[in-house]
C-alpha cells in the first residue's frame, strides 16, 4: 500500500510560511511602523516594496486561477510592469492613488527609481506558485497536498487571501517622500518655527574655483554679476526641513516631492545653468533676508542629509546654511562655505586701461599665397587678403589687436600662411625671412627664442565685463628679460640671425567668472595671455 505524505512544498501558496511571513511584514510595516517614528521612512518604504512584491503575485494568481507556467509568468510580468510604472512616473503613481481614494482607500505613492531594486525578489513568489497551485482560495490546492477537506483547511486559505487583499490595497499612512535622504555636498535647513519660501539660483558660467575660494566677501560679491544667475527654483520649507543648495541635486528635488508633501518649486523652476566647474555659487533669497551668495568649494565630496532635521540640535555642520529666526531672521553659514551679500551696485574697477586682445580668424591649411591687399577695418583689425597661387581664390584673414606697422609684408609678396599649435603665422618662404606670428596661451606663449609668461594678478580689484564675466588683469614677464623692458608697448630686440624682432603683449588676465556669451578668451575660466611677434630683415 502506498502512503501519501504531506510536503511543505505541496501546501497552497496562500499558506506557505514564506508568503505568510511576507504578509505579516507588510501588515505590520504599513499599519504600525509607517509614521510611528520607530523606523526611518526609507526603511519602511523598502520593506513595503519587497513584502508587497511577494504578496501581490500570489493574490493576483489566485484571482485569475493561474496554474500553468505561462500564466504564472504573465501574472508576474503584470505585477512587475505595474510596480515599475508607479516608480518611474509620478503621474501614474498619482493616478493609482486617486483611483484608490475614489474607492475610499487611503494611500499615497511617490515615484522613486531607487525602489525598482525590489523587483529582484519576484523569483521567490514565482517559485512558491510553481511548487503549489494557488487554487481559487478553495480546497482544491489543499486536496492536492493530501491534507483532506476539513473545515480548517477550507477556511485558512480564505482568511489568508482576505488579509492579503487588504494589505495590497490599503495603507493608512502616506508613503514616505521619494527623497527621504539628500545626497549632496551642501544644504540649507529651515531652523525657524514657521514655513519659509527659499529661492535658489546658480551662477551659469565657467568658474575659477581656486581664485573664488580665496576671495573675501566684498571681492566675491563684486565678481558675481546678477546677469550670470540662471533660472530660480523656489522651495517651501516647513520647520526643520532641508534642501540641497548644489544645483543638480536641488533641481532633481523639483521633480520629487522633496522634504515634505507640500514642498516643491514654483512655476519658475527653470533650466540648469550649464555650469561645469567643480565649485558652485548659489544665490539664496527669502522674504525679509538679504540676498546672499554662497560659494560651495568642493562638489566632489558628498554625504547623506535627512529631508528633515526637526528636533535635532541647531548647531550647523560645516556644509550647512541655517535659516535662523532669532534674534532676527538671518542666514547662518557653515564655516566650510563662503558667503557674501549680493551687491546692488559694485564698486568701480581700480584696474588700469584694458589691453586689446590679439587674435586671428585664420583656420585654413598651410599654403603658398600672394598678398592681394592689406587694409585696416573700421574695428581696427587688419584685413589681409590672401590669393591662392593655383586657384586664384581669395581668403580674408583678420588680425585683431595688431598695429598696421607691425605687419612686415607688402601687397604682391609671396608668403606661406600656416596654423600653429598656439596660433597662426604668415612667413616668407625664404629661410630666416620675415614673419609675423600671433600666439595665444593659457599661462605662457612661446615663440622659440622668446617666452611670455603670465605671473601674479595686478594690484586692482578686477574688472566686471559687459558680458557678465569677471577678470583680473595679470602682470607678465618676458624671457630672456632685459633691464628696462616696458611690456605696455612694443618691445624691440635683435635676434641671433640679425633680424629685428618686435614683440607686442596683448590682453593678459585671469578669468574668474566666464559666461558662455563672452568672447572665447573669456568664456573659460583661468589664465589667458596673447602676443604678436614680428621678424623683419634689417
Amino acid at each position: 500500500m502506498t502512503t501519501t505524505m504531506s510536503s511543505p512544498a505541496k501546501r497552497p501558496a496562500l499558506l506557505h510560511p514564506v508568503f505568510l511571513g511576507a504578509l505579516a511584514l507588510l501588515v505590520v510595516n504599513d499599519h504600525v511602523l509607517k509614521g510611528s517614528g520607530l523606523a526611518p521612512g526609507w526603511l519602511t518604504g523598502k520593506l513595503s516594496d519587497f513584502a508587497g512584491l511577494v504578496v501581490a503575485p500570489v493574490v493576483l494568481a489566485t484571482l485569475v486561477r493561474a496554474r500553468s507556467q505561462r500564466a504564472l509568468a504573465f501574472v508576474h510580468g503584470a505585477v512587475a510592469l505595474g510596480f515599475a510604472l508607479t516608480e518611474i512616473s509620478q503621474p501614474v503613481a498619482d493616478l493609482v492613488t486617486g483611483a484608490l481614494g475614489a474607492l475610499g482607500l487611503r494611500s499615497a505613492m511617490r515615484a522613486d527609481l531607487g525602489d525598482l531594486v525590489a523587483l529582484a525578489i519576484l523569483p521567490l513568489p514565482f517559485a512558491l506558485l510553481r511548487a503549489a497551485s494557488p487554487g481559487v482560495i478553495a480546497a482544491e490546492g489543499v486536496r492536492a497536498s493530501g491534507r483532506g477537506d476539513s473545515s480548517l483547511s477550507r477556511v485558512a486559505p480564505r482568511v489568508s487571501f482576505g488579509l492579503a487583499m487588504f494589505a495590497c490595497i490599503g495603507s493608512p499612512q502616506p508613503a514616505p517622500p521619494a527623497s527621504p535622504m539628500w545626497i549632496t555636498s551642501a544644504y540649507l535647513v529651515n531652523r525657524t518655527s514657521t514655513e519659509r519660501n527659499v529661492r535658489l539660483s546658480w551662477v551659469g558660467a565657467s568658474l575659477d574655483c581656486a581664485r573664488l575660494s580665496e576671495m573675501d566677501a566684498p571681492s566675491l560679491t563684486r565678481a558675481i554679476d546678477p546677469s550670470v544667475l540662471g533660472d530660480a527654483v523656489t522651495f517651501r520649507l516647513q520647520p526643520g526641513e532641508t534642501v540641497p543648495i548644489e544645483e543638480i541635486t536641488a533641481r532633481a528635488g523639483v521633480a520629487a516631492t522633496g522634504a515634505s508633501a507640500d514642498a516643491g518649486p514654483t512655476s519658475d523652476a527653470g533650466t540648469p545653468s550649464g555650469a561645469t566647474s567643480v565649485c558652485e555659487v548659489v544665490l539664496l533669497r527669502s522674504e525679509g533676508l538679504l540676498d546672499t551668495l554662497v560659494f560651495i568649494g568642493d562638489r566632489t565630496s558628498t554625504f547623506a542629509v535627512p529631508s528633515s532635521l526637526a528636533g535635532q540640535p541647531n548647531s550647523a555642520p560645516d556644509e550647512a546654511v541655517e535659516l535662523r529666526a532669532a534674534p532676527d531672521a538671518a542666514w547662518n553659514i557653515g564655516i566650510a562655505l563662503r558667503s557674501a551679500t549680493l551687491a546692488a551696485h559694485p564698486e568701480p574697477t581700480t584696474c588700469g586701461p584694458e589691453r586689446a586682445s590679439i587674435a586671428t580668424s585664420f583656420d585654413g591649411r598651410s599654403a603658398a599665397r600672394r598678398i592681394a591687399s592689406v587694409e585696416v577695418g573700421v574695428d581696427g583689425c587688419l584685413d589681409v587678403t590672401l590669393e591662392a597661387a593655383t586657384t586664384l581664390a581669395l581668403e580674408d584673414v583678420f588680425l585683431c589687436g595688431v598695429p598696421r606697422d607691425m605687419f612686415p609684408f607688402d601687397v604682391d609678396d609671396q608668403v606661406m600662411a600656416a596654423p600653429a599649435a598656439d596660433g597662426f603665422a604668415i612667413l616668407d618662404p625664404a629661410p630666416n625671412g620675415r614673419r609675423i606670428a600671433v600666439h595665444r596661451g593659457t599661462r605662457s606663449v612661446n615663440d622659440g627664442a622668446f617666452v611670455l609668461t603670465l605671473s601674479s594678478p595686478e594690484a586692482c580689484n578686477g574688472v566686471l565685463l559687459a558680458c557678465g564675466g569677471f577678470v583680473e588683469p595679470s602682470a607678465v614677464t618676458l624671457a630672456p628679460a632685459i633691464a628696462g623692458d616696458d611690456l605696455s608697448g612694443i618691445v624691440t630686440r635683435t635676434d641671433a640671425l640679425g633680424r629685428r624682432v618686435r614683440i607686442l603683449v596683448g590682453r593678459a588676465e585671469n578669468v574668474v567668472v566666464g559666461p558662455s556669451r563672452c568672447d572665447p578668451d573669456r568664456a573659460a575660466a583661468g589664465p589667458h595671455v596673447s602676443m604678436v611677434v614680428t621678424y623683419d630683415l634689417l
Side-chain angles (χ1 to χ4, degrees):
M1 180 178 67
T2 301
T3 303
T4 302
M5 302 292 294
S6 73
S7 169
K10 293 298 183 181
R11 61 167 54 93
L14 287 167
L15 297 180
H16 196 284
V18 173
F19 173 83
L20 294 176
L23 175 58
L25 176 60
L26 186 62
V27 172
V28 171
N29 183 69
D30 283 359
H31 296 267
V32 178
L33 295 180
K34 279 187 178 180
S36 67
L38 298 176
W42 66 266
L43 177 60
T44 58
K46 291 297 184 287
L47 290 177
S48 288
D49 295 336
F50 280 95
L53 286 176
V54 173
V55 173
V58 176
V59 172
L60 182 58
T62 301
L63 283 174
V64 300
R65 306 189 182 193
R67 295 179 179 83
S68 69
Q69 187 165 326
R70 177 179 295 182
L72 293 178
F74 176 82
V75 164
H76 283 74
V79 170
L81 178 62
F83 179 80
L85 287 176
T86 59
E87 298 300 339
I88 293 173
S89 171
Q90 187 59 46
V92 173
D94 293 340
L95 182 64
V96 175
T97 299
L100 293 174
L103 297 175
L105 300 170
R106 292 186 59 193
S107 183
M109 296 183 179
R110 307 280 184 249
D112 183 0
L113 293 176
D115 288 345
L116 295 178
V117 69
L119 291 172
I121 205 170
L122 282 178
L124 179 58
F126 186 81
L128 296 182
L129 289 165
R130 284 191 62 192
S133 174
V136 192
I137 314 171
E140 178 181 340
V142 178
R143 286 197 298 269
S145 69
R147 292 179 182 273
D149 196 19
S150 66
S151 297
L152 179 60
S153 63
R154 290 195 304 270
V155 171
R158 289 181 170 86
V159 173
S160 176
F161 179 81
L163 288 174
M165 285 288 290
F166 170 75
C168 287
I169 64 175
S171 175
Q173 296 294 336
S179 299
M181 299 289 287
W182 301 110
I183 305 301
T184 184
S185 57
Y187 67 97
L188 183 146
V189 55
N190 179 12
R191 289 300 189 188
T192 72
S193 59
T194 60
E195 176 184 277
R196 298 286 301 211
N197 287 333
V198 177
R199 186 178 176 91
L200 311 177
S201 51
W202 293 265
V203 171
S206 175
L207 303 175
D208 183 343
C209 299
R211 182 68 186 102
L212 286 170
S213 68
E214 299 170 348
M215 287 184 169
D216 56 18
S219 299
L220 179 62
T221 188
R222 190 173 186 282
I224 304 301
D225 185 80
S227 68
V228 301
L229 293 166
D231 294 338
V233 174
T234 302
F235 284 89
R236 186 167 60 251
L237 299 181
Q238 301 299 323
E241 288 185 341
T242 64
V243 65
I245 59 173
E246 63 171 0
E247 183 174 16
I248 292 178
T249 312
R251 290 195 184 277
V254 171
T257 55
S260 70
D262 59 352
T266 59
S267 59
D268 67 341
T271 56
S273 67
T276 57
S277 304
V278 296
C279 61
E280 286 188 6
V281 178
V282 57
L283 178 64
L284 305 180
R285 290 187 173 108
S286 188
E287 184 178 358
L289 278 72
L290 295 175
D291 292 351
T292 299
L293 292 166
V294 175
F295 171 74
I296 307 169
D298 181 10
R299 294 191 297 131
T300 60
S301 301
T302 59
F303 48 88
V305 179
S307 60
S308 177
L309 295 175
Q312 297 189 25
N314 287 346
S315 57
D318 292 354
E319 302 85 358
V321 176
E322 289 189 320
L323 176 54
R324 293 283 196 173
D328 298 309
W331 304 110
N332 183 38
I333 312 295
I335 60 175
L337 304 172
R338 305 177 68 84
S339 68
T341 301
L342 185 65
H345 303 287
E347 297 178 358
T349 181
T350 60
C351 302
E354 179 183 347
R355 293 182 178 181
S357 175
I358 299 173
T360 174
S361 66
F362 180 79
D363 57 4
R365 299 179 179 179
S366 298
R369 311 291 176 95
R370 183 185 73 87
I371 295 181
S373 66
V374 181
E375 299 178 354
V376 180
V378 294
D379 56 359
C381 296
L382 292 183
D383 180 359
V384 181
T385 304
L386 301 175
E387 181 182 69
T390 55
T391 64
L392 301 182
L394 298 179
E395 177 182 8
D396 283 320
V397 173
F398 295 93
L399 301 177
C400 298
V402 180
R404 174 64 181 89
D405 63 0
M406 283 197 73
F407 191 76
F409 300 103
D410 297 316
V411 174
D412 292 331
D413 283 347
Q414 299 296 320
V415 297
M416 288 288 295
D422 63 348
F424 157 81
I426 298 177
L427 60 151
D428 189 329
N432 303 322
R434 293 167 293 170
R435 183 182 69 166
I436 180 170
V438 174
H439 298 280
R440 302 156 72 80
T442 56
R443 189 165 297 279
S444 65
V445 296
N446 191 335
D447 194 66
F450 303 96
V451 178
L452 183 71
T453 304
L454 186 145
S455 55
S456 59
E458 292 182 355
C460 65
N461 63 355
V463 179
L464 194 59
L465 307 174
C467 62
F470 183 80
V471 300
E472 294 178 323
S474 296
V476 293
T477 56
L478 183 67
I482 295 178
D485 276 347
D486 180 4
L487 299 184
S488 62
I490 298 175
V491 177
T492 303
R493 300 279 177 84
T494 300
D495 72 352
L497 298 176
R499 294 176 299 181
R500 182 180 63 163
V501 183
R502 289 178 291 168
I503 305 168
L504 176 64
V505 179
R507 204 163 60 195
E509 62 193 11
N510 184 56
V511 178
V512 181
V513 179
S516 59
R517 61 176 176 267
C518 294
D519 66 64
D521 272 356
R522 289 170 160 175
H528 297 273
V529 59
S530 61
M531 72 174 177
V532 60
V533 182
T534 298
Y535 290 80
D536 293 304
L537 295 176
L538 294 177

